[in-house]
Amino acid sequence: MMRAGFLRLIPLLLSVAAPLDAAFAEAGLQALSVTTADNGEQTYSVSIQALFLMTALTFLPAAMMMMTSFTRIIIVLAILRQAIGLMQAPSSQILIGLALFLTFFIMAPVFTQINSRALQPYLEDQLSLQDAAVSASGPLREFMFDQTRDADIKMFGEMAGHAAFESKEAVPFTVLVPAFVTSELKTAFQIGFLLFIPFLIIDLVVASVLMSMGMMMLSPMIISLPFKVMLFVMVDGWNIVMGTLASSFYV
């Protein structure tokens, strides 16, 4: 259900791009056209909205890394590779791709809510662009608050000059995002520490055996690597790691 909800966003995004192409094809379209309604509300031409959209797309990579589950996943996978002792397997490209699609899976409920609350009403002219942006931020803020520690929000709030926040709605994105990233880093390193322990034990046992046999010139990493790989495969490690990462966001 979650993956199906996310896949629905693809044709919706394409439907957003289609009217923009048609608007640019019109002859004599002004670069800046502001229309003021009777109530004082101002609307902009499609070309300016497209400019804003293209500008916002440049922030997508940063938003993808800093406002979703991507940070925790990629750090845990990198620590896991280091713990096993495989420097190049899986490669960085594979880890990033795996973290990206696992992020899509985890964030699918959030994307589905954004689609129903903001994107669909905006496409049907039920919401303005500003109101749609506010509605879209709601599910994302809720997800980030669930993963953010109160101590981190308090720390960044005090640094920004806020004594205390009366409610979650009062916390600005400038405080929430760094607090969320800090919490994600702490959680990722805690999970990485737990992953390191069994592989560290194997390294210690192999090093002790080699020392007792007087084989001090032989690197323990060469001997322990196949044992660590075998242990990881026997316990179905990838299944455990992926399942734990996915479930850690909704506990």
Side-chain angles (χ1 to χ4, degrees):
M1 292 294 293
M2 295 189 297
R3 286 176 287 185
F6 170 74
L7 292 176
R8 288 184 55 203
L9 291 178
I10 298 177
L12 292 174
L13 294 176
L14 295 178
S15 65
V16 174
L20 296 179
D21 293 337
F24 283 123
E26 296 180 3
L29 183 63
Q30 298 180 0
L32 176 60
S33 176
V34 182
T35 304
T36 304
D38 296 336
N39 59 359
E41 182 180 1
Q42 292 182 337
T43 58
Y44 300 93
S45 65
V46 177
S47 59
I48 295 301
Q49 293 181 12
L51 178 62
F52 290 157
L53 178 61
M54 294 300 104
T55 304
L57 288 178
T58 61
F59 294 96
L60 271 181
M64 185 67 190
M65 291 185 294
M66 299 291 101
M67 301 172 66
T68 66
S69 58
F70 182 85
T71 300
R72 182 189 304 185
I73 296 171
I74 192 62
I75 291 178
V76 170
L77 293 180
I79 293 177
L80 174 63
R81 183 176 65 177
Q82 182 72 24
I84 297 177
L86 300 171
M87 298 297 101
Q88 300 297 330
S91 63
S92 298
Q93 292 84 349
I94 294 177
L95 291 184
I96 293 175
L98 186 59
L100 185 63
F101 281 95
L102 188 57
T103 299
F104 290 158
F105 176 82
I106 295 172
M107 299 297 296
V110 178
F111 293 152
T112 301
Q113 294 182 38
I114 293 175
N115 174 42
S116 59
R117 296 183 186 180
L119 184 57
Q120 287 291 349
Y122 173 70
L123 294 178
E124 297 174 0
D125 294 329
Q126 298 177 0
L127 290 177
S128 63
L129 181 61
Q130 293 82 358
D131 293 336
V134 173
S135 299
S137 65
L140 188 60
R141 286 174 61 92
E142 183 178 353
F143 170 81
M144 296 171 67
F145 270 114
D146 291 340
Q147 312 302 324
T148 306
R149 294 173 173 82
D150 294 336
D152 295 328
I153 296 179
K154 181 180 178 180
M155 179 187 68
F156 284 100
E158 293 176 349
M159 294 173 61
H162 301 282
F165 297 105
E166 298 179 356
S167 61
K168 292 182 179 181
E169 290 74 16
V171 180
F173 261 106
T174 54
V175 173
L176 179 58
V177 173
F180 170 75
V181 174
T182 303
S183 296
E184 286 294 281
L185 291 175
K186 182 177 181 180
T187 303
F189 275 88
Q190 289 175 342
I191 298 175
F193 171 76
L194 296 177
L195 288 175
F196 239 108
I197 292 178
F199 301 110
L200 180 60
I201 293 176
I202 294 178
D203 286 333
L204 292 176
V205 171
V206 171
S208 300
V209 172
L210 292 178
M211 287 288 292
S212 63
M213 297 175 62
M215 304 175 65
M216 293 177 292
M217 300 302 295
L218 181 61
S219 175
M221 291 294 298
I222 299 177
I223 307 300
S224 63
L225 179 57
F227 290 100
K228 291 189 290 186
V229 173
M230 180 181 65
L231 172 66
F232 191 71
V233 172
M234 289 180 60
V235 300
D236 200 4
W238 287 113
N239 189 10
I240 295 175
V241 172
M242 295 302 165
T244 302
L245 281 174
S247 61
S248 65
F249 288 92
Y250 297 99
V251 293

